[in-house]
Amino acid sequence: MTSTSPRTKSTARTTSAVGDKVFFGLSWTGGAIILVVLAFVAAFLLIEALPAIMPETFGPGADQAIDFWSYVWPLMAGTVMVSVIALLLATPIAIGISLFISHYAPRRFANPIGYLIDLLAAIPSVVYGAWGMLVLAPAMVPLYHWLHNNLGFIPLFAGDPNVTNTGRTLMTSGVVLAVMVLPIITALCREIFLQTPHLQQEAALGLGATRWEMIKMTVFPFARAGVISSIMLALGRALGETMAVTMVLSAGGFSWSLVTSGANATIPSEIALNFPEAFGQRQSELIAAGLMLFVITLVVNVIARAIVNSHAKKAEGLS
């Protein structure tokens, strides 16, 4: 039987302490660098956007807008609307797929299905854009006419149905974005569902709960914060998507209608279409629009972090 000498134990503790300090220093430095870069980006956007934001320096802008806010708010509204559509479509499907993979599908089928879903994230956005423009948009035209004829009294489905013959509408862009963010939500939710403590699941089943009742009682409460985080991460992806939306959406002004083409645009698509030829005042307008997207994304992430922290504190209180 061997024993460890006091000198060996002291050396091990010293090595561990040095490793902890090095890791702490590297982590702190990495976090500080991220904050510095973020501050520089924000400062650059603000300085370059000032000529467009200030009323006294704003000239006749794009689409003859009288001021910056009348120019940018339709872009902000279109960006938020198309992202919300994507989340509303993708979230329930992604959660359902995640539950099927983690709790219903046999292992020999669950892994291949998971790999196929993950492959969706590897497809370039320009491929999604081409598919949405050439395949999905024409296929959606009959649905848009049906929605207008039967639900046209709702502003979201109002508008001239003859304009929807291209199918390149806000709704089509939302469907394309939903397919793009689906693997993000699915992958994260699947991993979170698999981390649910087995003892809690077995206890629920042992008390006579069905599999669905067990999922409602144990899996969903445990995974709530993680599911919210995955949704907010997907929202950030949808807010910043450029090429797919640019290729699918027919840019225009602003309309509440989701089924009329040429009526909406988003901030990323507006910048992508106009920035290469922009200079002077027009360039400042586009950079200012990018600043608004930066602010929207920052607000979304702050709200998401607050929600996750709130649920984490509640979970700690119950444990």
Side-chain angles (χ1 to χ4, degrees):
M1 183 175 180
T2 60
S3 60
T4 305
S5 65
R7 180 176 298 178
T8 304
K9 292 181 179 179
S10 176
T11 303
R13 285 196 297 267
T14 303
T15 303
S16 177
V18 172
D20 290 342
K21 291 180 179 179
V22 171
F23 180 76
F24 174 80
L26 292 175
S27 301
W28 190 92
T29 302
I33 291 174
I34 292 175
L35 292 177
V36 170
V37 171
L38 190 65
F40 274 113
V41 171
F44 166 78
L45 292 175
L46 184 60
I47 293 171
E48 295 294 328
L50 279 178
I53 296 176
M54 301 300 292
E56 58 270 17
T57 58
F58 186 89
D63 301 326
Q64 300 301 312
I66 59 175
D67 56 44
F68 170 71
W69 298 108
S70 63
Y71 159 68
V72 78
W73 83 262
L75 301 176
M76 296 172 64
T79 303
V80 173
M81 287 174 65
V82 73
S83 301
V84 170
I85 292 171
L87 288 186
L88 291 177
L89 294 175
T91 299
I93 298 174
I95 292 177
I97 294 174
S98 302
L99 281 176
F100 177 76
I101 294 174
S102 62
H103 287 81
Y104 286 93
R107 289 299 94 188
R108 63 179 183 276
F109 296 133
N111 291 333
I113 294 174
Y115 295 149
L116 290 176
I117 297 297
D118 293 339
L119 281 176
L120 292 176
I123 300 176
S125 58
V126 67
V127 175
Y128 282 111
W131 168 73
M133 179 177 61
L134 299 176
V135 179
L136 181 63
M140 296 284 283
V141 171
L143 174 62
Y144 294 153
H145 281 278
W146 184 90
L147 290 172
H148 173 78
N149 294 333
N150 295 274
L151 301 174
F153 58 91
I154 302 175
L156 294 177
F157 306 118
D160 185 2
N162 295 322
V163 184
T164 64
N165 289 331
T166 62
R168 299 174 63 181
T169 68
L170 205 65
M171 177 70 80
T172 304
S173 300
V175 174
V176 173
L177 281 183
V179 177
M180 295 181 67
V181 303
L182 182 68
I184 298 175
I185 305 176
T186 302
L188 294 176
C189 290
R190 179 186 64 209
E191 296 303 320
I192 295 167
F193 293 159
L194 289 173
Q195 292 176 11
T196 305
H198 289 286
L199 289 178
Q200 295 183 12
Q201 300 180 57
E202 292 172 359
L205 294 173
L207 291 173
T210 63
R211 185 177 298 183
W212 173 242
E213 290 173 338
M214 177 272 292
I215 290 172
K216 290 192 297 182
M217 289 189 296
T218 62
V219 177
F220 284 159
F222 175 83
R224 185 180 294 113
V227 171
I228 294 174
S229 298
S230 67
I231 294 172
M232 291 302 175
L233 183 63
L235 177 58
R237 173 74 171 86
L239 287 171
E241 176 53 40
T242 302
M243 285 308 302
V245 176
T246 301
M247 296 177 67
V248 173
L249 194 61
S250 295
F254 174 74
S255 171
W256 288 108
S257 176
L258 304 179
V259 299
T260 302
S261 60
N264 287 288
T266 65
I267 293 177
S269 65
E270 176 78 0
I271 295 174
L273 288 172
N274 296 283
F275 199 83
E277 294 83 18
F279 62 93
Q281 172 71 22
R282 182 64 175 136
Q283 188 178 67
S284 296
E285 292 176 2
L286 296 174
I287 293 177
L291 177 62
M292 295 301 104
L293 181 61
F294 180 85
V295 171
I296 292 173
T297 306
L298 183 63
V299 170
V300 167
N301 282 284
V302 170
I303 294 174
R305 179 51 54 189
I307 294 174
V308 171
N309 290 340
S310 174
H311 284 294
K313 290 180 180 178
K314 290 180 181 179
E316 290 177 0
L318 294 175
S319 62

